[in-house]
Amino acid sequence: ACDITTAWFGFSGLPPLEPNRQPLGNQEIAKFDPKPKKCSMKHLLALVLTVLNVSIALAEDTIKIGLLASMSDEWASLGKNSLRGAEIADSEINSSGGVGGRQIQLEVEDTLEANSGARAVSAYQSLRQRGIQLFIGPSGTPAGMSLAPIIASQKVVVVTPSVGVRDFSDAGPNIFNSRGVDEQGSAAMARLAVQRGWKRAAILSSQQPWEQAQGEAFRREFERLGGIIAEHAAPLPETNDFRTIV
């Protein structure tokens, strides 16, 4: 019997843990930190205002910041948490005198982005038509990858608290990611599997962009270390019956 370990990305609802890694040459060991570092929404607002040319943000008495967040689909928990955090940070900053004497005003648009980035694009364009050039969001990778080329071509600044793929922040110098890159954790899983002697693996990801990226990151690292991918299944994101796959 062959020893096959299966890597699941996305369907379990739990993203890979980010590693606290110590390089040991080819025997690099991934130590997973159960308490990932956090960046508060107040820090995000400060970053948005810091990295942009001040003349853009402060041309008016009120500094408007657009919040792109998934508010009414299966990712609503991400969006609503982002909104709550932004409202707390907004209140704290404004009660302390604002920024340069100017108050912050949040403008929110629902991106409905669990499986598609189309609504996020129209939400972004709606905020841009209101003259907004500072953004927090979006909530996830489908929207992030749809927006990335548009954002990169415009004079705006975007900071995401939750998009986990490298390609989003790499798309332009005006795009920032406070979460970190989840592919690092997926590659660490592959190193851990090899360290434990698992030479064959099966991957179940999906065609959703974030899950695709995690599956590919695991595959690349696992194969680089001499492992064999026996099967890599990537069904549609809405698939909920895996009996024929597993």
Side-chain angles (χ1 to χ4, degrees):
C2 59
D3 183 9
I4 297 182
T5 180
T6 304
W8 296 70
F9 298 103
F11 292 109
S12 66
L14 296 174
L17 295 174
E18 293 186 7
N20 176 16
R21 296 187 283 119
Q22 295 181 353
L24 299 174
N26 292 331
Q27 301 299 318
E28 184 181 39
I29 299 174
K31 293 185 177 180
F32 292 94
D33 184 355
K35 296 179 180 178
K37 297 177 178 63
K38 297 181 180 179
C39 178
S40 73
M41 191 61 70
K42 188 173 181 179
H43 292 148
L44 285 187
L45 287 174
L47 177 59
V48 167
L49 295 169
T50 300
V51 296
L52 188 66
N53 186 321
V54 178
S55 63
I56 297 175
L58 304 184
E60 300 179 358
D61 290 338
T62 300
I63 302 171
K64 295 181 180 180
I65 297 178
L67 179 65
L68 295 164
S70 198
M71 302 295 293
S72 57
D73 59 10
E74 54 263 49
W75 284 7
S77 60
L78 284 174
K80 290 179 180 178
N81 285 337
S82 293
L83 176 58
R84 283 195 291 267
E87 287 174 337
I88 292 171
D90 175 56
S91 177
E92 290 180 355
I93 293 171
N94 285 340
S95 64
S96 299
V99 178
R102 293 169 170 84
Q103 297 286 287
I104 292 173
Q105 177 181 323
L106 289 174
E107 300 273 346
V108 183
E109 281 287 337
D110 187 356
T111 52
L112 289 166
E113 60 187 87
N115 294 315
S116 170
R119 179 65 181 84
V121 172
S122 61
Y124 172 78
Q125 291 171 339
S126 174
L127 291 171
R128 287 290 289 127
Q129 289 171 0
R130 296 177 227 169
I132 294 176
Q133 295 173 287
L134 308 174
F135 294 87
I136 293 173
S139 297
T141 297
M145 296 314 300
S146 295
L147 286 169
I150 302 171
I151 294 168
S153 67
Q154 298 181 357
K155 196 173 183 180
V156 298
V157 167
V158 176
V159 179
T160 179
S162 49
V163 173
V165 295
R166 184 183 303 278
D167 288 346
F168 178 67
S169 52
D170 282 355
N174 57 336
I175 303 175
F176 300 86
N177 187 345
S178 69
R179 171 190 174 124
V181 178
D182 289 334
E183 286 99 315
Q184 294 173 347
S186 300
M189 288 176 63
R191 290 191 291 273
L192 186 62
V194 172
Q195 179 195 3
R196 292 183 175 179
W198 299 335
K199 300 298 184 181
R200 293 169 62 83
I203 299 172
L204 175 58
S205 57
S206 84
Q207 296 179 37
Q208 196 259 37
W210 182 87
E211 292 160 13
Q212 280 184 323
Q214 306 323 306
E216 281 302 305
F218 181 93
R219 180 193 62 77
R220 287 193 301 269
E221 186 70 0
F222 194 70
E223 291 181 340
R224 185 185 73 82
L225 296 173
I228 298 172
I229 300 298
E231 183 73 27
H232 187 170
L236 294 171
E238 58 269 23
T239 301
N240 54 25
D241 184 349
F242 306 103
R243 286 174 294 183
T244 60
I245 300 173
V246 177

